[in-house]
Amino acid sequence: MAFVTRHFIRSMASSSTASAKKIVIKHVTVIGGGLMGSGIAQVAAATGHTVVLVDQTENILAKSKKAIEESLRRVAKKKFAEDLKAGDEFMAKTLSSISTSTDAASVVHSMDLVVEAIVEKLEAKNELFKRLDKFAAEHTIFASNTSSLQITSLANATTRQDRFAGLHFFNPVPVMKLVEVIKTPMTSQKTFESLMDFSKTLGKQPISCKDTPGFIVNYLLLPYLLEAIRLYERGHASKEDIDTGMKLGAGYPMGPFELLDFIGLDSMKFIINGEASTSMHDWSLPNKEPYDRVSGGSNPIGGSASENLALGRRKAGRSDLGRN
């Protein structure tokens, strides 16, 4: 009898889970009008979503809207090379789907999803989520675009831990196909599946990861960059030969130093210090100073690049291998 009861309970639980309807995300608020936030807003609007982009001032939002328009122009030129009229219509439709606001609390009440892409500081994000939690609708999912902070810590600032997850896009958002969907122990399956579906509607390839430091890509990428820097600083190989070796020997499309040059000094500061602003006024695009500016004696941050990378990982609670 006990076996039959347990079987019945499991069956009911399974049926209940299966019947829980995923949220079809149509209305999105993006908090933070910087490089990442404006990119997320652009791809969401371009795929039929209604988007509200939020930042602190109208001046920042004007710059964000201009950046989106310039990016859309490049997309339209490539996508509609044979049909300029269709390209103009695509731009107009996408831009009409994006509105802006300086008051996040006043717009989240009617949203299906709120994506945060502000300064990479735990206190600032927690304060934002705690405040918005009071105004957002019951069904609204909260997501953070953080690449380094623990999603669970952010979710705990709200009362909707089951409707909270990580949604980590890659730069530049309109170009990069990958999205990491981060599920905490409290994230419901309904929320997780809704975000996976949303990512696919954006034309992205979502991958899932538990709430571990660095998630998948940065967990593996940072040690790789660190070891390349160490190899060069020790005089064992030139930057050019390291890049060539990784491209021709390992099949990478770009060597580690080419990647560092592409990322630029701002992102290197993020890697080293574990914090950087994604707001347009602090994170203007992009300050691509040569790699030598962040290596050895000319490093404007001080110390060798490998020492600073290792220090940054320890400050973030991670070893050089990205473990807790």
Side-chain angles (χ1 to χ4, degrees), residues 23-244:
I23 295 174
V24 178
I25 296 171
K26 296 181 179 179
H27 307 289
V28 182
T29 289
V30 180
I31 314 291
L35 176 62
M36 297 303 294
S38 60
I40 296 167
Q42 176 185 324
V43 297
T47 49
H49 300 85
T50 302
V51 180
V52 180
L53 182 61
V54 178
D55 213 309
Q56 298 177 24
T57 69
E58 294 292 350
N59 184 50
I60 295 171
L61 289 168
K63 292 179 180 178
S64 302
K65 205 74 182 286
K66 182 179 179 181
I68 292 172
E69 187 172 350
E70 291 174 353
S71 178
L72 280 172
R73 188 171 289 108
R74 291 192 294 270
V75 173
K77 185 177 180 180
K78 182 177 180 180
K79 188 175 181 180
F80 302 97
E82 304 300 324
D83 191 345
L84 297 181
K85 183 179 179 181
D88 291 339
E89 292 173 350
F90 165 76
M91 279 191 61
K93 183 178 180 181
T94 301
L95 290 172
S96 69
S97 297
I98 304 173
S99 59
T100 60
S101 176
T102 57
D103 185 5
S106 68
V107 298
V108 297
H109 63 88
S110 59
M111 294 294 139
D112 301 314
L113 173 66
V114 174
V115 182
E116 168 273 314
I118 67 168
V119 59
E120 195 74 348
K121 292 183 179 179
L122 181 63
E123 296 80 7
K125 293 178 186 290
N126 277 345
E127 181 181 346
L128 173 69
F129 282 125
K130 184 178 181 179
R131 182 165 65 91
L132 296 184
D133 190 38
K134 301 174 183 177
F135 297 95
E138 185 71 18
H139 77 281
T140 304
I141 295 172
F142 281 8
S144 175
N145 183 58
T146 183
S147 60
S148 65
L149 299 177
Q150 186 184 52
I151 302 298
T152 302
S153 296
L154 299 174
N156 285 339
T158 75
T159 60
R160 62 183 73 222
Q161 290 95 335
D162 60 322
R163 287 149 288 156
F164 202 113
L167 201 59
H168 182 216
F169 292 83
F170 290 81
N171 177 41
V173 179
V175 176
M176 301 295 281
K177 292 295 185 182
L178 188 67
V179 176
E180 292 177 317
V181 180
I182 312 305
K183 186 179 182 181
T184 77
M186 301 171 290
T187 305
S188 70
Q189 187 64 20
K190 175 182 175 180
T191 295
F192 172 72
E193 291 179 2
S194 297
L195 290 176
M196 291 290 283
D197 287 351
F198 171 68
S199 300
K200 292 174 184 176
T201 65
L202 300 182
K204 305 298 183 185
Q205 173 62 61
I207 58 176
S208 64
C209 183
K210 292 182 178 180
D211 191 15
T212 188
F215 314 138
I216 294 175
V217 175
N218 285 338
Y219 185 98
L220 299 173
L221 177 62
L222 298 189
Y224 164 66
L225 296 177
L226 177 60
E227 291 306 316
I229 292 169
R230 284 175 170 164
L231 194 65
Y232 168 67
E233 287 183 338
R234 290 168 182 161
H236 293 169
S238 68
K239 291 182 289 184
E240 293 75 17
D241 283 350
I242 293 171
D243 281 345
T244 299

Side-chain angles (χ1 to χ4, degrees), residues 269-288:
K269 288 179 180 178
F270 173 81
I271 293 170
I272 293 168
N273 297 319
E275 59 183 46
S277 172
T278 53
S279 290
M280 181 68 74
H281 55 297
D282 288 333
W283 186 282
S284 56
L285 211 204
N287 185 6
K288 294 183 180 177

